[in-house]
């Protein structure tokens, strides 16, 4: 049997669930992950961070990702190994018509564990020629495999009885059901898609509702061992098939535990990266401190503690690769040391700009030193200077004074930090009226910057 060629530009690709794929949206190409196949309609379902739900895409809006090694289809099908078929193998599959399941010839186009996506042009599937089938409903031509059997004369009635049982038990996944608590929830996480648009909204109480819902369905299924693999003439969507639902139910706790663990590990990475990398001239405290890696580890532990209740529901215990995080941290320290070696010493340049910290105002410099020592009690002030001798006056549009200010900088040496650093403050006096100004205050300036924010690390003189 000839293998069908579907994509005009890439006819030999055997698209698989989990493959990366590019899709066209509003004039741009985006990369997503193949989540399902349905060649009778729009061929690929793609999951992307850009969207919160699965989307179907037509062939002309799909293309492969450069550099990825896709499984390829042969031009002609051949018989493969029973229960271990690969794309391009010729098989027989069970298709329901005439109130029973019948065997029809087909070609495997894709595989997903024990599930096979099969082309069966003469299977009397009415308008359907492509089918997801579990291996129990697939065999080699001439095989003695019986396939799915039922003592029920009407599978449709059996399906209805099962659905009635589900309703009777009141099986549900809680609220808001339409967002994430459905069969696709287990399907997505069983395939390790790691969708961060879902997990942050999944609170512990919601997760408990999810588990209760799946356990309810599991009990309902116990009374229906002969439930069809899919509702007759329906169920080409792999997440809607009863056999797939049974597989997912059987391991739902394991799937969700694994998903929560992956999510918590993803929570760790931004903390590790953010506090191990210099951003512009800003150096995170863990990099700046001599014991900074211990601080980074504690920050990560604190972040994970925010999700403890969620993890406890399924016994999630994320495995953190501290060695890998340490390598990331050490790279950041090396980068910092390189920048320090190339930095401008003294107070002539702060934060990459040539600032005139060459003037002096003894009173304000004394206040600036006291403020710096209050933030860094063990520090030693090596030098101070101001941005100008007199203070700059800020006025309203009508020319009325609002306040006046002056910036001061200190060169600080501290035993807990890897090098000296430059620390700037603003001295500000509000206008009191009558040509007079109120007592001045010291702060870090506009934007309410943290009092311990350091402008730039530099070589110690």
């Amino acid at each position: 049997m000839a293998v069908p060629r579907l994509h005009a530009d890439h006819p030999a690709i055997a698209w698989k669930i989990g493959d990366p794929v590019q899709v066209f949206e509003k004039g741009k190409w985006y990369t997503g992950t193949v989540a399902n196949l349905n060649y009778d309609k729009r061929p690929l379902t793609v999951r992307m961070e850009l969207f919160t739900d699965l989307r179907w895409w037509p062939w002309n809006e799909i293309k492969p990702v450069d550099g990825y090694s896709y499984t390829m289809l042969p031009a002609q099908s051949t018989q493969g190994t029973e229960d271990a078929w690969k794309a391009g193998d010729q098989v027989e599959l069970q298709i329901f018509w005439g109130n029973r399941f019948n065997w029809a010839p087909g070609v495997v186009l894709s595989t997903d564990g024990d599930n096979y996506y099969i082309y069966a042009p003469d299977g009397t599937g009415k308008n359907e020629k492509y089918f997801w089938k579990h291996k129990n409903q697939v065999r080699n031509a001439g095989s003695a495999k019986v396939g799915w059997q039922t003592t029920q004369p009407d599978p449709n009635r059996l399906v209805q009885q099962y659905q009635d049982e589900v309703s009777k038990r009141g099986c549900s996944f809680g609220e808001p059901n339409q967002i994430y608590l459905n069969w696709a929830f287990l399907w997505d996480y069983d395939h390790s898609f790691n969708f961060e648009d879902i997990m942050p909204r999944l609170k512990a109480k919601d997760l408990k509702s999810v588990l209760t819902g799946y356990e309810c369905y599991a009990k309902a299924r116990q009374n229906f061992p002969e439930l069809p693999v899919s509702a007759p003439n329906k169920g080409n969507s792999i997440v809607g098939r009863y056999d797939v639902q049974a597989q997912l139910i059987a391991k739902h706790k394991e799937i969700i535990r694994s998903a929560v663990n992956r999510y918590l590990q993803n929570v760790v990475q931004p903390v590790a990266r953010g506090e191990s990398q210099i951003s512009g001239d800003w150096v995170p405290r863990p990099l700046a401190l001599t014991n900074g890696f211990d601080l980074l580890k504690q920050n990560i532990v604190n972040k994970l503690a925010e999700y403890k209740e969620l993890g406890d529901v399924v016994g999630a215990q994320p495995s953190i690769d501290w060695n890998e995080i340490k390598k990331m941290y050490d790279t950041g320290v090396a980068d910092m040391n390189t920048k320090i070696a190339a930095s401008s010493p003294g107070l002539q340049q702060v934060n990459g700009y040539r600032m005139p910290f060459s003037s002096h105002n003894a009173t304000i410099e004394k206040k600036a030193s006291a403020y710096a020592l209050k933030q860094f009690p063990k520090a030693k002030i090596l030098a101070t200077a101001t941005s100008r001798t007199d203070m700059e006056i800020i006025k309203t549009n009508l020319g009325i004074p609002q306040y006046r200010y002056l910036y001061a900088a200190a060169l600080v040496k501290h035993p807990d930090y890897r090098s000296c650093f430059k620390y700037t403050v603003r001295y500000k006096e509000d206008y009191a009226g009558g040509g007079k100004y109120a007592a001045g205050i010291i702060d870090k300036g506009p934007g309410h910057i943290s009092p311990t924010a350091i402008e730039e690390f530099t070589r110690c003189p």
Side-chain angles (χ1 to χ4, degrees):
M1 182 182 290
V3 178
R5 294 301 194 249
L6 301 165
H7 195 301
D9 297 325
H10 308 280
I13 292 180
W15 299 94
K16 297 182 67 175
I17 292 173
D19 280 348
V21 61
Q22 287 193 295
V23 294
F24 193 73
E25 168 73 11
K26 295 182 179 179
K28 294 182 180 180
W29 288 95
Y30 297 91
T31 300
T33 304
V34 176
N36 199 3
L37 308 174
N38 189 354
Y39 293 170
D40 282 309
K41 298 181 180 179
R42 291 193 171 198
L44 302 187
T45 306
V46 177
R47 174 70 88 176
M48 296 189 298
E49 292 183 4
L50 182 67
F51 308 107
T52 57
D53 298 312
L54 292 169
R55 293 272 302 270
W56 290 100
W57 301 89
W59 286 121
N60 63 346
E61 295 180 0
I62 295 168
K63 68 179 182 180
V65 173
D66 291 340
Y68 181 77
S69 180
Y70 291 92
T71 300
M72 307 303 287
L73 291 164
Q76 192 71 24
S77 63
T78 57
Q79 184 163 292
T81 303
E82 187 91 2
D83 289 347
W85 297 282
K86 61 184 184 300
D89 284 349
Q90 192 171 131
V91 295
E92 291 182 339
L93 67 155
Q94 283 188 308
I95 300 176
F96 186 86
W97 81 86
N99 288 326
R100 64 190 181 92
F101 283 100
N102 301 272
W103 290 102
V107 179
V108 175
L109 298 184
S110 187
T111 63
D112 182 63
D114 290 337
N115 296 287
Y116 297 88
Y117 197 55
I118 303 171
Y119 171 59
D122 301 317
T124 67
K126 295 187 177 181
N127 296 325
E128 297 174 335
K129 295 183 178 180
Y130 302 90
F131 304 85
W132 274 111
K133 292 293 177 181
H134 186 265
K135 68 178 183 180
N136 291 341
Q137 283 196 298
V138 185
R139 70 183 185 184
N140 282 338
S143 169
K145 181 185 285 188
V146 175
W148 184 82
Q149 299 293 314
T150 178
T151 59
Q152 298 291 330
D154 185 357
N156 283 303
R157 180 166 177 75
L158 191 61
V159 169
Q160 186 59 54
Q161 289 173 346
Y162 166 66
Q163 293 173 345
D164 290 343
E165 178 70 14
V166 168
S167 297
K168 177 182 174 182
R169 290 178 176 272
C171 300
S172 71
F173 298 113
E175 296 293 341
N177 184 50
Q178 68 276 14
I179 295 180
Y180 47 73
L181 310 180
N182 48 45
W183 294 112
F185 174 84
L186 279 183
W187 175 255
D188 291 350
Y189 285 109
D190 189 38
H191 284 74
S192 303
F193 287 161
N194 284 326
F195 303 130
E196 296 188 8
D197 61 306
I198 295 176
M199 273 295 174
R201 293 179 284 159
L202 190 60
K203 306 303 181 183
K205 64 180 181 63
D206 298 324
L207 190 53
K208 290 177 182 177
S209 296
V210 172
L211 293 172
T212 300
Y214 289 129
E215 287 159 7
C216 181
Y217 274 90
K219 291 178 181 178
R221 286 192 66 93
Q222 291 174 359
N223 299 326
F224 297 88
E226 294 184 341
L227 196 67
V229 169
S230 63
N233 297 327
K234 296 181 180 180
N236 262 6
S237 171
I238 198 166
V239 298
R241 287 172 39 210
Y242 293 121
D243 63 330
V244 173
Q245 292 179 11
Q247 294 173 50
L248 297 178
I249 285 176
K251 56 178 181 177
H252 69 275
K253 290 184 180 179
E254 175 189 336
I255 292 171
I256 295 175
R257 183 183 302 112
S258 176
V260 174
N261 273 328
R262 290 197 305 272
Y263 173 64
L264 294 182
Q265 287 167 350
N266 288 342
V267 166
V268 167
Q269 288 304 312
V271 178
R273 285 194 301 270
E275 299 192 0
S276 297
Q277 297 177 356
I278 297 175
S279 176
D281 292 303
W282 180 76
V283 177
R285 288 193 76 233
L287 277 188
L289 292 167
T290 54
N291 66 340
F293 187 63
D294 291 336
L295 176 60
L296 173 59
K297 289 174 67 176
Q298 187 58 53
N299 289 345
I300 289 173
V301 170
N302 292 343
K303 186 65 176 179
L304 286 176
E306 298 176 17
Y307 299 88
K308 183 179 185 302
E309 188 178 3
L310 179 66
D312 286 348
V313 173
V314 288
Q317 296 179 336
S319 175
I320 302 173
D321 191 341
W322 292 112
N323 290 331
E324 195 62 32
I325 293 176
K326 184 63 163 61
K327 290 179 183 178
M328 187 189 307
Y329 177 81
D330 289 343
T331 299
V333 171
D335 184 33
M336 174 182 169
N337 289 336
T338 298
K339 289 182 180 295
I340 288 174
S343 65
S344 172
L347 296 173
Q348 286 296 307
Q349 180 172 313
V350 177
N351 210 25
Y353 297 95
R354 298 299 299 183
M355 299 180 72
F357 282 104
S358 56
S359 301
H360 292 281
N361 184 310
T363 300
I364 293 177
E365 287 177 57
K366 184 177 180 180
K367 291 179 181 291
S369 294
Y371 186 83
L373 291 173
K374 181 179 179 180
Q375 312 307 322
F376 306 96
K378 295 186 288 184
K380 180 179 180 181
I381 308 299
L382 303 182
T384 59
T386 57
S387 57
R388 52 194 291 168
T389 304
D390 59 329
M391 290 193 283
E392 183 173 354
I393 298 175
I394 302 299
K395 299 180 180 180
T396 67
N397 293 335
L398 299 177
I400 301 172
Q402 289 181 297
Y403 63 88
R404 61 185 182 180
Y405 73 96
L406 188 67
Y407 275 96
L411 184 61
V412 182
K413 184 175 184 179
H414 194 289
D416 295 340
Y417 287 82
R418 297 182 185 278
S419 183
C420 290
F421 54 87
K422 302 169 185 179
Y423 183 78
T424 63
V425 295
R426 180 183 67 168
Y427 178 77
K428 175 188 175 187
E429 293 179 350
D430 290 327
Y431 185 63
K436 298 181 179 180
Y437 288 84
I441 60 171
I442 291 281
D443 60 23
K444 286 293 291 180
H448 305 288
I449 303 171
S450 168
T452 56
I454 296 168
E455 277 64 46
E456 183 180 350
F457 283 84
T458 186
R459 289 169 287 159
C460 291

